[in-house]
Amino acid sequence: MSGLLVRNLILYFPVCPSRRCKFIQEPTLYVIKGIAILDNDGNRLLAKYYDPSVFPTVKEEKKFEKNLFQKTHRANAEVIMLDRLTCVYRSNVDLFFYVMGLSHENELILVSVLSCLYDAVSAILRKNVEKRTLLDNLDIIMLALDEICDGGVPLETDPQVVTQRVSLRMEESPFNDQTVTQQVRQKLETTTGAVLQSAREQLKWSLLK
Amino acid sequence: MMSSFKQIKKDEEEGGGNPYHSMDKTSVLQEARVFNETPVNVKRSTHVLTKILYLLNQGETLATKEATDAFFAMTKLFQSNDLVLRRLVYLGIKELCTVAEDTIIVTSSLTKDMTGREDQYRAPAIRALCRITDATMMQAIERYMKQAIVDRAPGVSSAALVSCRHIMKDSPDVVKRWVSEVQEALSSDCVMVQFHALGVLHQIRKSDKLAVTKMVTKLTSSGLRSPYAICLLIRIVARLIEEDEVGADSRLFDFLESMLRHKAEMVIYEAANAIVTLRKSSARDLAPAISVLQLFLSSPKPTLRFAAVRTLSKVAMTQPNAVTACNLDLENLIQDVNRSIATLAITTLLKTGSEGSVDRLMKSISSFLNDISDEFKIVVVEALRALALKYPRKQAVLMGQLADMLRSEGGLPYKEAIASTIITIIEDNPEAKEKGLDHLCEFIEDCEHTTLAVRIIHLLGREGPRTRQPARYIRFVYNRVILENAAVRAAAVSVLAKFGAQCESLLGNILVLLQRCMMDTEDEVRDRATYYHAVLATRDNALINQYILNPPQFALPSLERALVQYLRTDTSGPFDTRTIPTAPPPQEEKKTPNIMEPAPRPVERIIPTHEKYAEQLAAIPHFAHLGPLFKSSAPLELTEAETEYMVRCIKHTFQKHIVLQFDCTNTLNDQLLEAVSVVVEGDGWDIEASLPCPSLPYSQLGSCYTLLPIPEDIMATTGTFSATLKFKVRDCDPATGEPDTDEGYEDDYTLEDVEITVADHVQRAARSNFAAGWDELGATNELEDTFALSAMTTLEEAITQITQFLGMHPCDRSDRVPEGKSAHTLYLAGTYRGGHEVLVRAKLALADGVTMQLTVRSDDPEVSEVIASAVG
């Protein structure tokens, strides 16, 4: 060892404050990343996404919905992780309800929002939770959704309160005369349109021949 | 009447069952003309407005004009007092306000509704109003907002608070003035109001840690009613504990623990999750949280089971022993109907299980692997990787499982994860190498992903020549040349050349194969084949080493710029590649985070790369004569976090100069700084120029520069500099940023020292074959020295510190120490300023500290000396 020079070496490097608090959740009100109601073909009936950083465009949203539906429509398993989101869901007849949050979000908060959504919709539709009645009452459902979540913040999670806040004309029958006449009129308009259209088509084809 | 209705209903069902289906934007917007009728036709307007909202919700976009027209038509509907219609109008306002122009026109109508008597209007009107107002208009409605926050109706109060939170994203200062109202709302009886109030209050106080601590102390003792608010509070508390350097305040931790006994599951889970994610939690702290989660595992609610198993799997990543108690419950969950739960259970078991259970787990994995999504398959693969590293004896079983998975269906990320796991195992365990390479060879015989095939072929080129029978891999590689697309063929040609360069016995055959490749249809493949054939045919080892095994790695953009420059000047002299900075080798490839980990937070400031720095500096006329940028250091903080002024220093090294770039941020909103400069002083260094930053307003980043010529004496090129920030202060109005006075006063602020080290003169460089490079440099400029590193206790620690200190790049994966070894050799490669190649071999031995024998070789005696003496 005598020929070798032995020195003491002290190297000083500050501790790098690397990604501390990596898993600690940000204390935030913005718990919900999205809410969606899909039909039994996976088409969107109503959907709201609250964070553009999750899905920047509608195209990505819809792609996600298709994927989500495909993974959930058979197994009624209540919760799934997809694309870094935790999605809790519930379905009835031909409707699928989803609430999405980040993958480390407290699932139970998401579920409480989902139950509120489902129960409120169920009350508004008088337990007829199916696509047809939902579309007939779409305006009220939109208002309910707006009462449940505002910009990603859960606004209200008590379904009764939500129904009270939106059930402004629940005392009226949804099938009163005026609605029916209106529907008949509309229906007539569309059918006449369709008949004319098909006649035109036929004429075109006969000319082409 | 009723029968006809049924008939219609039936028809509609046949036509898709959705009356909103196949609507067309233009016609719906036409229909919006009905809004203009007086008196308002409530039924039709409601219907049309619903249609518009439906279209927008489907993702239909309106042009600005369309949106503005629809918006203005909609404002007519304020004449009606129909509740539903009015509230749909609010929705419409919120939807259209981002596209339409002049939306502030509805301010007065909304203000009227928000202050009116009808509760049904007030809450949604507030929310709509806050969407269309900006900070300046906020002052006009400030009084109403304050009232609304403390309103008796919970809906109104919630609406106001949530709107406050939204406003804070853009203009936090307005809301800060309402803090006493928010505080009052916090004591509300309503569950949601309390939650919203706490969220807003925390956001207001977030940057003031003392205030947060005070708030937390008060709330943890007083007891909140709302479970949502408690969940939020738990997160705030967890943050505080985590950020507290000194050690957890035991009262805060007690609070978390007491919440494990709360009656709401939501709160219990949140508390358990917080406790297990805290880094400071000891095994004893974890125990109660783990047992709560264990109870959840057998809950009938899938979500609860899911939450519990997800959290446990997270714990298992870091502290598998803490979770072993739950193994039995986890095994039951493998059969869970929810495949997400089953997958999480099995991956957790893979981490916590004993060596004996591996075979059994493998069997259950193969049974359900086909049912789960690729993302979860990746989670399983990650778990297998960890398991393979933990139990080397089980690697044969695991490798077999991975090979099966490699053959099954799956997307690119999944296959990549498997391949990289196999590669990890190969690197970790030399015995598994040949088996692993065989699996990979078999895989590339039928691999549809070009990137993955190229990666594996390169791996073969790196590892293959060093195996016992390199010849057997040639067939697999050459098959690629025959069968695959151009990118893979080109890679295969390069790899063939690597085999030829390292295996004497194969060289003849390789030359024949390369000759055949010269007939390829693709330019790149032909070029490579010709190039490699020419180099190999010389059979000149130095040449082969320099151009095949360790090819020069220039920073391509710099090379391009230098070549352009060269062509503009007199091209009679040869082009000197020494001035071209070498490209630093890519940093450790970033592991794609799996779905179990939270999505990475967006990076706050993107750190500019070498090229960006080079461009920025070249744009400054004072630095135009410095030549190409050799290296830029990582930013170095010269101030503590959250001080009045924040300064970061970046050291840019040029051929003969160093530029110190100081990025300064002024965090005082009542000051405007002018003529900001950083004065540095260091022994033996001159300062050639100093460029101040003329003006530094609040929260903006400004840079000032100092130019230092590097001393001629190569031994004097390191040093420590004292640094002081000098500037002129002008007080200004916090709201507008306008200075109050014309006169300012001088001030200065002491910063931490700036150090220029050896690492600043060295650029990391990759050597794909260190031994060849080492022999080629020869012993001419070799220096050897022995050191005792008494402060270090492990080899890993010594390796990281030496690597960082010298600023060089570890080669041949020599920065990884096999477990249980007490001696190790580290190989480092770098380029010294001026283009001198430097290689370092450090033999490390662990005995009462670390002893190191350091050998330096380079092409310049002085450089060798600088590196060798740097460590001293």
Side-chain angles (χ1 to χ4, degrees):
Chain A
M1 280 300 270
S2 63
L4 299 169
L5 190 59
V6 177
R7 292 179 195 157
N8 269 326
L9 169 64
I10 297 158
L11 300 175
Y12 167 72
F13 299 105
V15 182
C16 162
S18 68
R19 295 247 207 103
R20 206 182 284 155
C21 318
K22 192 175 158 196
F23 286 116
I24 295 286
Q25 287 141 358
E26 177 70 27
T28 177
L29 290 178
Y30 296 94
V31 176
I32 303 172
K33 295 296 159 192
I35 295 182
I37 304 177
L38 307 183
D39 71 5
N40 56 348
D41 295 317
N43 295 318
R44 173 192 289 193
L45 296 177
L46 266 186
K48 278 289 213 182
Y49 293 88
Y50 302 104
D51 188 346
S53 70
V54 178
F55 300 112
T57 64
V58 181
K59 204 174 143 216
E60 277 133 25
E61 290 172 9
K62 293 214 167 171
K63 194 174 149 219
F64 171 77
E65 282 164 18
K66 280 269 176 275
N67 197 0
L68 182 63
F69 178 75
Q70 208 206 341
K71 294 235 157 66
T72 52
H73 75 286
R74 261 174 295 142
N76 204 0
E78 201 176 297
V79 58
I80 189 176
M81 265 170 129
L82 195 67
D83 286 352
R84 298 179 190 293
L85 291 177
T86 297
C87 316
V88 293
Y89 60 99
R90 221 171 139 174
S91 62
N92 192 21
V93 196
D94 51 3
L95 288 176
F96 290 78
F97 299 80
Y98 299 88
V99 173
M100 282 77 83
L102 287 182
S103 63
H104 56 267
E105 193 48 72
N106 186 334
E107 289 85 350
L108 303 174
I109 296 183
L110 299 179
V111 162
S112 75
V113 174
L114 175 70
S115 325
C116 172
L117 172 70
Y118 185 88
D119 295 342
V121 169
S122 172
I124 293 164
L125 304 183
R126 306 191 172 185
K127 297 213 163 54
N128 294 319
V129 184
E130 50 182 315
K131 184 175 165 185
R132 180 76 246 170
T133 35
L134 182 112
L135 287 172
D136 286 343
N137 294 281
L138 194 63
D139 45 356
I140 306 292
I141 302 293
M142 281 177 176
L143 293 180
L145 189 60
D146 180 60
E147 285 294 341
I148 291 169
C149 180
D150 183 348
V153 180
L155 195 60
E156 183 52 66
T157 52
D158 183 345
Q160 260 186 320
V161 177
V162 173
T163 4
Q164 271 166 21
R165 283 186 193 160
V166 295
S167 62
L168 313 154
R169 58 163 189 209
M170 285 322 282
E171 58 281 1
E172 301 172 31
S173 157
F175 295 152
N176 63 12
D177 282 353
Q178 202 181 353
T179 335
V180 177
T181 11
Q182 207 171 23
Q183 281 181 350
V184 172
R185 200 174 60 219
Q186 268 173 15
K187 193 60 216 171
L188 276 175
E189 276 167 18
T190 44
T191 28
T192 2
V195 167
L196 274 176
Q197 181 72 25
S198 72
R200 223 178 279 142
E201 287 285 307
Q202 271 172 4
L203 185 65
K204 201 168 76 187
W205 280 110
S206 61
L207 285 175
L208 280 172
K209 274 175 200 162
Chain B
M1 191 77 213
M2 226 35 218
S3 65
S4 69
F5 177 73
K6 269 183 195 147
Q7 182 60 42
I8 286 162
K9 194 170 170 179
K10 199 162 158 251
D11 287 351
E12 276 179 352
E13 266 164 10
E14 279 160 3
N18 183 348
Y20 297 96
H21 195 67
S22 69
M23 274 189 320
D24 154 61
K25 179 174 84 173
T26 331
S27 63
V28 174
L29 289 178
Q30 287 275 317
E31 286 182 61
R33 275 182 303 194
V34 72
F35 296 167
N36 291 322
E37 282 176 24
T38 31
V40 176
N41 182 338
V42 173
K43 290 284 170 201
R44 280 213 61 199
S45 298
T46 308
H47 189 67
V48 173
L49 191 46
T50 312
K51 278 187 183 176
I52 294 179
L53 289 170
Y54 178 83
L55 276 182
L56 290 171
N57 196 273
Q58 289 295 318
E60 193 75 62
T61 47
L62 299 187
T64 312
K65 173 127 197 336
E66 291 172 324
T68 312
D69 288 350
F71 188 87
F72 274 80
M74 204 166 64
T75 54
K76 303 278 191 340
L77 300 178
F78 269 106
Q79 291 164 10
S80 158
N81 272 329
D82 183 81
L83 289 161
V84 174
L85 185 56
R86 177 68 60 87
R87 298 193 45 186
L88 286 174
V89 171
Y90 299 148
L91 277 191
I93 291 173
K94 286 201 277 191
E95 291 292 335
L96 290 174
C97 68
T98 46
V99 204
E101 286 170 336
D102 300 325
T103 51
I104 43 175
I105 191 124
V106 290
T107 308
S108 62
S109 307
L110 287 173
T111 318
K112 210 174 109 212
D113 283 355
M114 137 181 190
T115 51
R117 227 174 291 147
E118 180 63 78
D119 271 358
Q120 303 276 28
Y121 286 164
R122 283 163 64 207
I126 291 172
R127 294 192 282 128
L129 181 60
C130 288
R131 287 293 160 85
I132 56 161
T133 37
D134 54 18
T136 47
M137 288 182 33
M138 216 53 189
Q139 281 161 354
I141 56 163
E142 182 165 356
R143 189 163 57 93
Y144 306 126
M145 282 301 284
K146 279 180 167 183
Q147 280 169 6
I149 292 173
V150 293
D151 197 279
R152 262 181 304 112
V156 175
S157 179
S158 271
L161 286 163
V162 172
S163 301
C164 283
R165 183 62 192 83
H166 295 323
I167 295 165
M168 286 187 84
K169 284 192 232 171
D170 297 325
S171 43
D173 294 331
V174 189
V175 180
K176 277 184 186 158
R177 294 201 291 262
W178 309 339
V179 65
S180 57
E181 281 79 13
V182 176
Q183 219 149 12
E184 196 182 324
L186 188 59
S187 50
S188 158
D189 284 339
C190 173
V191 169
M192 294 319 279
V193 174
Q194 209 169 50
F195 171 56
H196 297 141
L198 181 59
V200 175
L201 197 60
H202 176 250
Q203 190 64 25
I204 293 175
R205 303 205 160 145
K206 207 165 104 178
S207 52
D208 182 354
K209 204 172 148 195
L210 195 70
V212 176
T213 317
K214 256 194 205 157
M215 176 178 89
V216 164
T217 320
K218 199 172 143 231
L219 292 176
T220 47
S221 56
S222 72
L224 292 165
R225 278 186 65 243
S226 157
Y228 297 93
I230 297 176
C231 286
L232 191 58
L233 184 62
I234 288 173
R235 290 186 195 184
I236 299 172
V237 168
R239 265 272 143 126
L240 268 186
I241 297 179
E242 194 75 349
E243 280 168 5
D244 199 355
E245 298 291 340
V246 195
D249 183 341
S250 64
R251 267 177 311 166
L252 290 182
F253 198 88
D254 290 346
F255 167 73
L256 291 185
E257 207 173 342
S258 70
M259 284 303 127
L260 291 175
R261 293 183 294 277
H262 196 270
K263 56 182 187 301
E265 280 167 345
M266 186 193 291
V267 175
I268 302 176
Y269 169 70
E270 187 73 47
N273 186 42
I275 290 176
V276 300
T277 22
L278 281 179
R279 282 178 313 139
K280 286 174 187 147
S281 297
S282 64
R284 200 169 53 84
D285 298 332
L286 283 184
I290 300 276
S291 45
V292 163
L293 292 173
Q294 190 175 2
L295 276 180
F296 285 171
L297 285 181
S298 44
S299 157
K301 295 181 196 162
T303 309
L304 206 49
R305 295 200 298 276
F306 177 84
V309 73
R310 186 177 63 83
T311 308
L312 287 173
S313 84
K314 209 163 59 181
V315 183
M317 284 184 199
T318 50
Q319 287 167 292
N321 292 337
V323 189
T324 34
C326 310
N327 276 0
L328 205 64
D329 303 81
L330 288 170
E331 294 222 11
N332 292 334
L333 290 185
I334 296 179
Q335 307 304 329
D336 202 294
V337 280
N338 186 325
R339 296 329 269 162
S340 303
I341 295 176
T343 317
L344 286 169
I346 206 153
T347 49
T348 314
L349 281 171
L350 287 176
K351 290 179 199 117
T352 62
S354 61
E355 193 165 351
S357 60
V358 170
D359 297 286
R360 196 159 40 85
L361 287 174
M362 283 307 118
K363 275 206 196 86
S364 24
I365 286 183
S366 21
S367 72
F368 78 89
L369 210 55
N370 291 328
D371 302 348
I372 56 176
S373 67
D374 266 16
E375 286 144 318
F376 270 117
K377 286 182 190 166
I378 293 172
V379 176
V380 173
V381 173
E382 295 288 327
L384 289 180
R385 180 207 297 260
L387 200 64
L389 296 179
K390 195 165 144 202
Y391 300 123
R393 273 189 293 163
K394 287 288 167 198
Q395 278 175 356
V397 184
L398 294 170
M399 192 78 98
Q401 176 74 39
L402 286 169
D404 284 346
M405 289 160 81
L406 204 49
R407 278 190 290 270
S408 63
E409 289 290 298
L412 178 61
Y414 172 50
K415 290 293 167 77
E416 253 174 358
I418 303 175
S420 68
T421 301
I422 295 182
I423 294 171
T424 317
I425 298 178
I426 293 173
E427 288 173 354
D428 183 62
N429 182 357
E431 285 158 33
K433 193 199 256 177
E434 299 203 357
K435 190 101 182 118
L437 288 181
D438 285 349
H439 285 312
L440 292 176
C441 281
E442 195 187 317
F443 172 59
I444 54 169
E445 285 287 333
D446 182 24
C447 170
E448 64 208 285
H449 308 293
T450 303
T451 48
L452 194 54
V454 169
R455 220 177 119 194
I456 292 174
I457 290 172
H458 272 287
L459 180 83
L460 286 177
R462 209 172 68 203
E463 301 290 344
R466 296 184 217 169
T467 53
R468 272 172 298 171
Q469 285 178 289
R472 55 201 293 240
Y473 301 107
I474 302 288
R475 181 172 66 89
F476 290 105
V477 177
Y478 191 66
N479 275 350
R480 304 281 72 70
V481 179
I482 304 170
L483 299 168
E484 304 280 351
N485 63 33
V488 181
R489 290 204 304 273
V493 166
S494 304
V495 168
L496 282 179
K498 287 213 169 120
F499 274 92
Q502 289 176 72
C503 310
E504 282 289 341
S505 55
L506 295 175
L507 187 54
N509 294 337
I510 296 279
L511 285 174
V512 174
L513 293 178
L514 285 177
Q515 199 134 32
R516 284 192 205 155
C517 299
M518 288 186 210
M519 304 299 182
D520 200 278
T521 49
E522 180 73 26
D523 289 353
E524 176 70 22
V525 181
R526 280 201 307 274
D527 287 356
R528 287 196 192 192
T530 316
Y531 169 80
Y532 288 124
H533 189 271
V535 176
L536 286 171
T538 62
R539 303 196 183 233
D540 174 351
N541 276 340
L543 201 64
I544 290 175
N545 179 32
Q546 212 176 345
Y547 288 103
I548 297 182
L549 296 180
N550 287 320
Q553 313 209 335
F554 298 117
L556 292 180
S558 306
L559 179 65
E560 184 190 351
R561 219 167 356 172
L563 282 170
V564 169
Q565 198 90 43
Y566 175 74
L567 288 175
R568 278 194 199 130
T569 56
D570 168 34
T571 51
S572 56
F575 178 71
D576 184 12
T577 53
R578 290 216 148 184
T579 55
I580 313 300
T582 47
Q587 292 283 7
E588 280 285 297
E589 62 179 290
K590 262 192 216 126
K591 197 178 127 257
T592 41
N594 67 39
I595 48 166
M596 291 308 302
E597 289 161 19
R601 285 205 207 111
V603 183
E604 286 158 16
R605 220 179 294 138
I606 297 154
I607 297 164
T609 56
H610 182 87
E611 268 317 297
K612 275 201 203 142
Y613 280 135
E615 261 168 42
Q616 279 171 13
L617 293 172
I620 301 172
H622 292 79
F623 302 145
H625 65 288
L626 300 181
L629 175 62
F630 175 70
K631 181 189 181 175
S632 296
S633 73
L636 183 77
E637 303 286 343
L638 297 186
T639 49
E640 301 273 320
E642 307 198 355
T643 45
E644 297 97 309
Y645 314 109
M646 303 217 288
V647 181
R648 303 186 315 153
C649 174
I650 301 153
K651 296 170 277 185
H652 303 287
T653 312
F654 290 86
Q655 181 78 8
K656 294 201 170 77
H657 296 82
I658 285 183
V659 171
L660 300 177
Q661 174 184 345
F662 298 98
D663 287 343
C664 314
T665 317
N666 168 16
T667 63
L668 298 178
N669 62 359
D670 56 351
Q671 287 191 356
L672 171 72
L673 306 187
E674 284 178 341
V676 182
S677 66
V678 175
V679 179
V680 292
E681 277 173 45
D683 280 346
W685 290 72
D686 300 326
I687 287 159
E688 190 175 306
S690 174
L691 298 182
C693 171
S695 159
L696 190 62
Y698 165 59
S699 83
Q700 280 181 26
L701 189 75
S703 299
C704 55
Y705 301 88
T706 305
L707 176 62
L708 308 162
I710 297 175
E712 286 294 320
D713 178 9
I714 196 165
M715 297 309 289
T717 53
T718 56
T720 307
F721 298 81
S722 66
T724 317
L725 186 69
K726 287 206 189 276
F727 48 86
K728 201 165 153 191
V729 183
R730 283 171 73 182
D731 293 326
C732 64
D733 178 3
T736 59
E738 288 298 315
D740 297 335
T741 52
D742 289 338
E743 290 297 297
Y745 54 90
E746 303 277 339
D747 202 354
D748 51 32
Y749 189 83
T750 310
L751 304 173
E752 289 185 23
D753 290 352
V754 179
E755 226 173 324
I756 293 180
T757 61
V758 176
D760 292 321
H761 299 282
V762 180
Q763 177 68 281
R764 300 182 310 125
R767 285 284 173 280
S768 46
N769 192 324
F770 186 84
W774 183 256
D775 291 342
E776 198 208 333
L777 267 178
T780 335
N781 299 316
E782 184 178 288
L783 280 178
E784 197 164 74
D785 218 338
T786 304
F787 305 89
L789 316 176
S790 53
M792 321 251 170
T793 51
T794 62
L795 291 177
E796 284 84 357
E797 191 187 351
I799 287 170
T800 16
Q801 300 224 346
I802 294 162
T803 313
Q804 279 188 26
F805 189 77
L806 294 176
M808 296 167 80
H809 187 70
C811 301
D812 296 350
R813 293 190 304 279
S814 62
D815 53 334
R816 286 188 222 164
V817 186
E819 207 147 312
K821 289 273 177 68
S822 62
H824 183 72
T825 310
L826 171 70
Y827 302 108
L828 296 172
T831 312
Y832 195 81
R833 181 170 50 83
H836 302 289
E837 195 181 342
V838 190
L839 298 178
V840 168
R841 186 183 67 197
K843 291 186 172 168
L844 302 162
L846 184 70
D848 229 15
V850 176
T851 314
M852 171 171 77
Q853 186 191 41
L854 190 78
T855 316
V856 184
R857 285 186 178 184
S858 82
D859 56 5
D860 185 297
E862 284 192 322
V863 170
S864 295
E865 202 182 335
V866 164
I867 300 291
S869 61
V871 184

